Amino acid sequence: MSASTATVLHDLTAVEQCAALRDRTVSAVELTEHYLDRIDRLGERLGAFVVTTPELALREAAEADRRFARGDDAHRPLQGLPIAFKDLQPIAGVPVTNGSAVLPAVTAEHDAEAVGLIRAAGAVTLGTTHAPELGIPCYTDTTVVGRPAVTPYDLGRSASGSSGGAAAAIAAGLIPVGHGSDGAGSIRTPAAVCGLVGVKPSRGVVSAAPASSFFGFSTDGPLARNVEDAALLLDAMAVRTPRGLHELAAPASFVAASRRRATRRLRVAVWTDSGFGAVHPENTAAVDRIALMLEGLGHEVVEVANPAPWDTDLVQAFFDYIGGVVSGLLAGLPPAHAQALEEDTRWMKQRGDRLGAADFVKSTTALAAFADRFIAKLASYDLAVSPVSAGVAVPLGSFHRGQSGDAPYRMLEWSAYTPVQNLSGLPAISIPSHVTADGLPLGVQLTGAAIGSDPMLLSVAAQLEEQIGWAQRHPPVWGE
């Protein structure tokens, strides 16, 4: 492959790009320049990036080419592959804002563990992708960037959050794969509205170091255009030798798992009820479509009631917990700075500031019981199928149309299917189902019924991918 074909480099999957780099049919510098050009032309329109690092990227790409020339790539599976990191994790030498114009940007001396593993695997650092302040809301719009992250399928609709910038960038072909993090659906909902695969691994498969919470609800994970590409990135960031909080030894290869097919009949629980009320008919249709495919593949599909429905007390516990965490993170912030926080951060901080220690502990107890119920209800199944969200990608600003303080409740109603996997630690993956008549992508969530069932989940998702054939579906900006 020569520079004359650079305009179609992003048509290749990440796995194919890695193969082309190893075969030296494309150079890492050429590939990096291709993506930097696309970011320059399209990134601002999509609200996808916070910082780009072209000088660093080209230095790392040139070093990757030198390594390839020496044959020094045996232990660097991502060597020369461009990537960007979510603007919430420490990245050595790159400023990270945490989505906040109030808090000072931090240029760390050391990478977060998952970031460092990806970089050690040879990936080229293009910069940071847009994330909301402290990763709180399920939309991505900050004063740091000055425009929202939008789904490339409709520039008037949100790319969701908090990995919205990463999802927008991958879907538009600005990066081949992306690093995300997920504390209550922050990988899966952006993947769903941008037509991508998004993996929330089992708790401990990816290191949380440097851990900021004892409870381990959030985890890093991959976003990609297909299952194999997601598995490739997950392999790079996965824990092999546990030595930290919650860490779990990962299997030898998630890519190999994504290429295997089930050799036994799986028992699959399916539900669409969110516990909050009406679900968009397209989201229900997406689940029905995937359930029929699983039956066609020989698996037993069982319709069940929502195994972990929300109630009023649980909703309050959820917001008490998040509010308590935010209040702790921002303790000591001067009042004038606190007033300048983004609206939803401010709401959470104020809620947390009103809590006593006993209230916070009570919230964690309620959430733990919620997770226990979910795990117990799924114990007789291999996996579960549900919507990722209760609706399609929302028009920009939708969550804040109404009374002040209602937005967090609207966001939870829209994304009610995703937090329990974080609370329970179970693995989950969002996979594309179809595109609506209006051209909006729909995702479906598969949840593994046991911690560590990630390989089975990737295998089933890849088999469904073959049936659906979404890998060549792209938004209008793809060809620009």
Side-chain angles (χ1 to χ4, degrees):
M1 188 175 303
S2 67
S4 64
T5 60
T7 53
V8 296
L9 284 174
H10 61 283
D11 285 339
L12 300 175
T13 68
V15 169
E16 290 169 343
Q17 288 179 34
C18 286
L21 288 162
R22 285 193 302 273
D23 295 342
R24 301 182 71 186
T25 54
V26 64
S27 73
V29 168
E30 179 185 3
L31 188 61
T32 298
E33 288 175 338
H34 175 76
Y35 281 114
L36 287 171
D37 175 66
R38 289 188 64 77
I39 292 167
D40 283 345
R41 289 188 292 107
L42 302 171
E44 184 176 357
R45 191 193 316 175
L46 298 168
F49 278 79
V50 180
V51 169
T52 55
T53 55
E55 292 182 3
L56 172 63
L58 290 170
R59 282 201 310 272
E60 291 180 344
E63 175 59 21
D65 285 333
R66 287 191 288 272
R67 285 178 176 270
F68 281 122
R70 297 195 303 264
D72 181 16
D73 63 309
H75 303 294
R76 294 166 64 87
L78 303 182
Q79 185 160 288
L81 186 73
I83 195 171
F85 296 98
K86 187 175 176 180
D87 185 42
L88 291 181
Q89 289 281 36
I91 308 166
V94 178
V96 171
T97 74
N98 290 294
S100 181
V102 174
L103 305 175
V106 176
T107 302
E109 293 185 11
H110 303 286
D111 294 317
E113 184 71 10
V115 171
L117 287 171
I118 293 169
R119 298 181 85 179
V124 169
T125 307
L126 294 177
T128 57
T129 53
H130 196 184
E133 192 168 53
L134 302 182
I136 292 170
C138 64
Y139 64 92
T140 302
D141 189 6
T142 65
T143 53
V144 172
V145 172
R147 65 180 61 236
V150 294
T151 172
Y153 286 86
D154 184 337
L155 304 189
R157 291 177 183 264
S158 172
S160 191
S162 59
S163 304
I170 299 160
L174 309 190
I175 49 176
V177 289
H179 160 265
S181 61
D182 190 315
S186 290
I187 287 173
R188 289 160 287 160
T189 59
V193 301
C194 291
L196 301 174
V197 174
V199 181
K200 198 281 310 170
S202 290
R203 180 178 296 138
V205 164
V206 177
S207 175
S212 60
S213 170
F214 182 76
F215 300 103
F217 293 164
S218 184
T219 179
D220 291 22
L223 293 107
R225 285 159 42 204
N226 62 58
V227 175
E228 188 178 50
D229 282 359
L232 175 74
L233 186 55
L234 185 57
D235 268 334
M237 66 173 78
V239 171
R240 303 301 178 190
T241 305
R243 64 178 188 270
L245 186 65
H246 301 304
E247 291 183 0
L248 177 72
S253 171
F254 286 114
V255 168
S258 74
R259 293 171 179 169
R260 290 194 295 268
R261 298 296 172 259
T263 56
R264 65 181 179 87
R265 192 180 192 216
L266 302 176
R267 195 160 189 258
V268 184
V270 176
W271 69 91
T272 57
D273 172 39
S274 71
F276 280 110
V279 179
H280 196 290
E282 291 280 9
N283 296 70
T284 301
V287 170
D288 292 343
R289 186 167 188 249
I290 296 299
L292 282 173
M293 286 184 182
L294 288 167
E295 282 186 331
L297 292 169
H299 302 303
E300 179 189 3
V301 174
V302 183
E303 291 189 20
V304 301
N306 186 335
W310 293 86
D311 59 32
T312 301
D313 290 342
L314 188 61
V315 170
Q316 299 313 308
F318 181 70
F319 288 133
D320 281 350
Y321 173 77
I322 298 174
V325 170
V326 172
S327 178
L329 287 172
L330 299 177
L333 191 68
H337 289 184
Q339 282 303 309
L341 293 166
E342 303 282 358
E343 179 179 344
D344 294 307
T345 312
R346 214 166 50 242
W347 188 91
M348 289 294 182
K349 181 182 184 302
Q350 289 167 355
R351 186 183 186 100
D353 289 348
R354 294 192 296 267
L355 288 178
D359 297 318
F360 183 74
V361 171
K362 183 180 176 182
S363 74
T364 64
T365 302
L367 295 175
F370 179 51
D372 278 345
R373 290 195 298 274
F374 186 67
I375 292 168
K377 291 287 183 66
L378 293 187
S380 62
Y381 299 93
D382 295 293
L383 75 148
V385 179
S386 69
V388 179
S389 64
V392 297
V394 301
L396 296 173
S398 291
F399 293 126
H400 291 91
R401 290 174 188 156
Q403 294 183 358
S404 178
D406 287 349
Y409 294 93
R410 290 198 188 97
M411 285 188 275
L412 181 57
E413 288 178 11
W414 185 81
S415 62
Y417 302 95
T418 54
V420 70
Q421 289 82 4
N422 299 88
L423 299 171
S424 64
L426 296 177
I429 183 170
S430 173
I431 60 172
S433 163
H434 67 284
V435 172
T436 70
D438 295 330
L440 300 175
L442 264 295
V444 168
Q445 177 172 236
L446 310 182
T447 300
I451 288 179
S453 59
D454 309 59
M456 177 271 295
L457 207 57
L458 289 166
S459 173
V460 173
Q463 195 168 15
L464 290 167
E465 176 179 75
E466 291 170 357
Q467 296 276 310
I468 298 167
W470 70 71
Q472 300 307 314
R473 184 186 298 146
H474 303 302
V477 299
W478 186 265
E480 293 185 23

